[in-house]
Amino acid sequence: MANQQSNSGNPSVDYEYKRKKNAEDMRMQVTSFMFMIFLTLVAFIAVAGDFDKYFVVPFILLLAVVQLIFQLYYFMHMSHKGHEAPSLFLYSGALVAFITVLTFLTIVWI
């Protein structure tokens, strides 16, 4: 049996690449976490401030959608290769949930 090595043939190069890639991923996660904390503080300020509720509710929902996207792509690694099937199921479920909520809002509205 031959000595098993990676595709590049140099284990130290692979180790350095993985180390740099992990450091880059960690930096992006910390940055996105800080951004999500900032968005949460903005939501609290919007609620605590004396703003009209017709502005605050859509604004908070928008901030929630932005935070959801950050969490999916940076914490759940949906941007990496190999996550196409879970992405399909996730987005299909989100579409069904949106259509269901829209349907119930339309029924209640009438």
Side-chain angles (χ1 to χ4, degrees):
M1 200 180 254
N3 190 5
Q4 299 254 341
Q5 289 185 350
S6 63
N7 292 338
S8 70
N10 190 349
S12 65
V13 172
D14 286 341
Y15 174 75
E16 285 298 318
Y17 172 75
K18 288 179 184 177
R19 194 172 72 105
K20 286 182 181 180
K21 182 70 175 158
N22 287 340
E24 180 182 319
D25 284 345
M26 181 61 77
R27 185 172 41 251
M28 288 301 296
Q29 285 183 349
V30 169
T31 304
S32 64
F33 179 73
M34 290 179 357
F35 185 66
M36 285 188 287
I37 293 296
F38 172 73
L39 290 178
T40 302
L41 291 174
V42 169
F44 276 118
I45 291 170
V47 170
D50 193 23
F51 295 109
D52 187 25
K53 70 177 181 179
Y54 294 110
F55 168 75
V56 172
V57 172
F59 183 67
I60 290 176
L61 289 175
L62 176 69
L63 293 177
V65 168
V66 170
Q67 284 194 8
L68 175 71
I69 292 168
F70 269 93
Q71 288 180 11
L72 287 176
Y73 279 94
Y74 290 111
F75 290 113
M76 297 184 72
H77 306 288
M78 296 298 280
S79 61
H80 294 163
K81 292 181 181 178
H83 290 108
E84 290 82 16
S87 295
L88 175 69
F89 287 117
L90 183 77
Y91 296 136
S92 299
L95 180 64
V96 168
F98 175 73
I99 290 172
T100 303
V101 168
L102 186 65
T103 302
F104 284 132
L105 286 175
T106 305
I107 290 171
V108 170
W109 189 277
I110 295 176

